[in-house]
Amino acid sequence: MPDTMTMRDYEGTEVEVEKVQETGAGGARLDVTHPDGRKWRLEVSRSGKPEVVTSWRDGQLTDLEIPEWLEDNLRKAARPA
């Protein structure tokens, strides 16, 4: 996965994804920012399985679930080309 990229949610909205750092066993820590004010810091395994480290809505810490569109995109990005 490149250091920065965009993904699209199911409605076609572009979402920014930035790799913060590599983690053990081929995983990565990512910041995912949706233009609607949601942001996630995720720990993503090599297979694309995400786990929330921290999440925000409009700059305020909150507990956000990982949306299905994001899980789908991360699994696709983790697949070998």
Side-chain angles (χ1 to χ4, degrees):
M1 177 179 281
D3 287 345
T4 59
M5 63 183 290
T6 58
M7 294 181 173
R8 292 187 185 272
D9 66 15
Y10 290 153
E11 287 77 42
T13 303
E14 286 194 355
V15 179
E16 293 180 32
V17 180
E18 179 182 0
K19 184 180 348 179
V20 177
Q21 70 185 61
E22 300 281 332
T23 59
R29 185 165 285 183
L30 306 177
D31 281 348
V32 180
T33 306
H34 195 286
D36 70 3
R38 293 178 291 168
K39 182 176 180 176
W40 298 265
R41 174 154 293 166
L42 304 173
E43 191 90 18
V44 182
S45 70
R46 184 169 68 176
S47 66
K49 179 162 176 45
E51 185 175 316
V52 175
V53 175
T54 308
S55 58
W56 301 264
R57 181 179 292 278
D58 299 322
Q60 300 294 316
L61 284 172
T62 190
D63 289 327
L64 295 175
E65 297 292 321
I66 300 171
E68 186 177 336
W69 61 263
L70 182 52
E71 288 189 44
D72 287 348
N73 277 301
L74 291 169
R75 278 194 301 271
K76 288 176 188 173
R79 285 190 210 142

